[in-house]
Amino acid sequence: MSPKYFQLDEAFTRKVWRKLKDNQVPIVDTTRMGELAKIVAQVNTDLRTQAYLPSIGHGFLGIQKGHGVTRFVPILSDIDMAVYYHICFELSESILIKRPTIFGGWHSVPKSQKAGETLFSDSEESAASSSLQDYFSDPFSSVLWLKEWREFTALIGELCKQTNIGNFVVQTDVANFYDSIEIPRLVRRLRHAAPKFDEYIEALEVFLGYWNRRIVGYQASSKGIPQEIISDASRVIAHFYLQKFDGNFLEYCASNGLTYVRWADDILIFGSSKKKLEVAIHTASKMLLSDGLNLSAAKTRIFSRLDFAKYRGVEVLDAITKNDEKLFRRRLRSALQYRKSNEIRIDTIFRATIGFVRRLGAKAHSYEKSFLTEEARDNRDLLLSLNARQLANIILIADDSREFFRFCLDKAISVPFSSSKATFLHMLRRHSVELIKAGILQADLSKAVEKIESASTDSEIITGICIPATKKV
């Protein structure tokens, strides 16, 4: 018989905390790591006596979504993150269903690896993080994330070539997805899917009810899961929440000659006519209503199949995956020419190109390097959406790295969003050696910290956590 409580595993907690120590917001430091065993013992006592309750956390990190709209990511305590990740990763192998056209709920840390070494080397993880597409996400394994993403984009590319699935595709997503997940409904489904894990699900219910205490106090929440700083745990829960819809909607699509694809909360449906796709969106909306969810009207668009391939930049991404330099340049030129009179997902192409150009090294041409630096100068929001590895890469790619470093710094401190400053500081902590080798002076790095600190007086996250951690490096 399983116990009425679950316990933190010291080795797995160390794995979570190491990730938090090297993060955009490093809430764990060396001193804290040294106290891990004692803290785990106390938390386990609280869990056994049902005295555990999430703390109010460190606050929120503001992330720009464009036009001044801000998403606030909660910076939870290291204890709460350990509890959350224990629960979600223990449940994941029992609750996640792998379906051929559904992506985004990968197992970034398989159960068998909890106490072992990482699956991939630091260099492999760093290289993969150059091509991450999820904005402000820092998964446990960038390699596994990228593998999943490439499978998704390869599927889109193949579907866009198939004439037998119809000439149209509709793109949409679930509106305010994480904030709309109903906790009681989620808990009921978890108990049905994983009846042997009652103690974990009970602890998860407590966590989800009170993770947002900074806002709701001691009034338990009935809706919403955190968009936490690493992102893997909440992604497991969110992916599971949509699985009932996946099963029902896949059956509907199969019966009506449609093809359904999902990445996280982004939905694609391929079909033979716009009318059939409109009916499908209506049907999906009805199905999601029973889950307390809605589709976003603003993000729902119907494309021709060939126009959608160009919009998503699938040919450029395919050339990058194939590591074909000549094909990449030819397709990048074509995509940028198409962009002059049509909309494309330049953010996807931009991030993928950063990673590819860094892999090319000395073989990279001025054409693709100029594309990156000019796009960064013209598109501030896109530049400020990069992660630390991508930001360092584009600075290293620039002809005058020192000048471009200063340009990126000026952009990071010119906006009120604290995420751009957190990422810049993360880059300084993680990639300062590379930056110095490229001609950026130690004095430039120190001055950058001073400027960010001066521009962040309204952010306790930056001044209280990110700045002190960067000054120690």
Side-chain angles (χ1 to χ4, degrees), residues 174 242 245 267 283-295:
V174 180
L242 282 178
F245 165 77
I267 292 172
T283 302
S285 299
K286 286 173 62 178
M287 291 180 178
L288 288 169
L289 183 63
S290 64
D291 292 329
L293 303 174
N294 296 285
L295 295 178

Side-chain angles (χ1 to χ4, degrees), residues 73-93:
V73 172
I75 307 302
L76 306 176
S77 75
D78 51 15
I79 291 173
D80 294 334
M81 289 289 281
V83 169
Y84 194 33
Y85 272 78
H86 272 78
I87 295 169
C88 293
F89 283 178
E90 191 67 41
L91 289 174
S92 65
E93 294 187 356

Side-chain angles (χ1 to χ4, degrees), residues 170-449:
V170 63
Q171 169 186 274
T172 188
D173 76 1
V174 180
N176 302 314
F177 181 34
Y178 279 31
D179 294 335
S180 300
I181 291 176
E182 296 182 355
I183 297 171
R185 190 190 309 274
L186 167 67
V187 169
R188 287 196 300 272
R189 290 183 180 176
L190 286 170
R191 287 188 171 131
H192 177 75
K196 295 181 180 180
F197 290 91
D198 281 347
E199 71 278 10
Y200 285 87
I201 297 168
E202 183 177 338
L204 178 64
E205 187 173 16
V206 172
F207 173 85
L208 293 179
Y210 294 99
W211 68 266
N212 200 16
R213 277 179 55 204
R214 183 174 285 268
I215 302 297
V216 301
Y218 288 94
Q219 179 67 41
S221 297
S222 62
K223 184 179 289 190
I225 67 173
Q227 293 182 303
E228 36 87 11
I229 196 76
I230 299 175
S231 74
D232 283 337
S234 289
R235 189 176 288 113
V236 167
I237 296 301
H239 193 79
F240 169 76
Y241 195 74
L242 282 178
Q243 283 184 159
K244 181 180 178 182
F245 165 77
D246 289 335
N248 292 335
F249 195 61
L250 280 167
E251 184 176 332
Y252 166 82
C253 288
S255 300
N256 289 273
L258 303 170
T259 303
Y260 165 54
V261 180
R262 176 169 72 82
W263 171 276
D265 61 342
D266 292 329
I267 292 172
L268 303 174
I269 312 168
F270 292 79
S272 59
S273 71
K274 292 182 179 181
K275 183 176 181 179
K276 288 187 71 172
L277 292 179
E278 288 172 352
V279 173
I281 288 294
H282 170 72
T283 302
S285 299
K286 286 173 62 178
M287 291 180 178
L288 288 169
L289 183 63
S290 64
D291 292 329
L293 303 174
N294 296 285
L295 295 178
S296 170
K299 294 184 179 180
T300 301
R301 297 176 58 186
I302 297 179
F303 299 81
S304 74
R305 180 170 43 80
L306 297 180
D307 283 346
F308 183 71
K310 294 176 181 177
Y311 168 75
R312 293 293 302 229
V314 295
E315 291 190 341
V316 178
L317 300 179
D318 175 65
I320 289 174
T321 299
K322 291 176 178 175
N323 204 34
D324 189 323
E325 298 173 46
K326 293 182 179 179
L327 184 63
F328 160 73
R329 290 188 189 100
R330 187 164 65 248
R331 289 181 173 179
L332 179 61
R333 290 180 187 276
S334 177
L336 296 181
Q337 181 64 34
Y338 180 80
R339 184 193 186 193
K340 291 180 179 180
S341 54
N342 301 275
E343 184 182 358
I344 65 172
R345 283 290 303 270
I346 195 63
D347 58 328
T348 301
I349 295 173
F350 182 77
R351 291 190 182 92
T353 299
I354 290 175
F356 187 58
V357 170
R358 279 292 287 164
R359 291 204 305 275
L360 289 177
K363 295 190 293 182
H365 288 191
S366 59
Y367 174 73
E368 54 262 26
K369 292 164 64 175
S370 295
F371 157 65
L372 291 174
T373 54
E374 290 172 11
E375 189 68 35
R377 291 184 186 278
D378 293 340
N379 193 335
R380 182 199 66 186
D381 289 350
L382 181 54
L383 172 66
L384 298 183
S385 74
L386 300 179
N387 63 35
R389 177 69 271 177
Q390 292 166 339
L391 183 60
N393 280 349
I394 198 169
I395 291 171
L396 297 172
I397 286 167
D399 291 334
D400 187 340
S401 293
R402 191 179 182 200
E403 182 276 331
F404 200 73
F405 174 89
R406 292 169 175 168
F407 169 79
C408 293
L409 173 62
D410 289 342
K411 291 301 179 184
I413 64 178
S414 70
V415 295
F417 316 105
S418 52
S419 61
S420 61
K421 303 174 185 69
T423 298
F424 204 97
L425 292 168
H426 192 208
M427 177 188 70
L428 296 182
R429 294 193 300 274
R430 184 181 277 183
H431 305 297
S432 58
V433 173
E434 294 174 78
L435 296 173
I436 289 172
K437 286 181 178 179
I440 297 161
L441 305 179
Q442 179 64 54
D444 295 327
L445 306 184
S446 300
K447 188 66 174 178
V449 177

Side-chain angles (χ1 to χ4, degrees), residues 97-104 148 239 246 250 260-262:
I97 300 171
K98 184 65 176 177
R99 291 182 167 113
T101 64
I102 309 299
F103 301 87
E148 183 98 349
H239 193 79
D246 289 335
L250 280 167
Y260 165 54
V261 180
R262 176 169 72 82

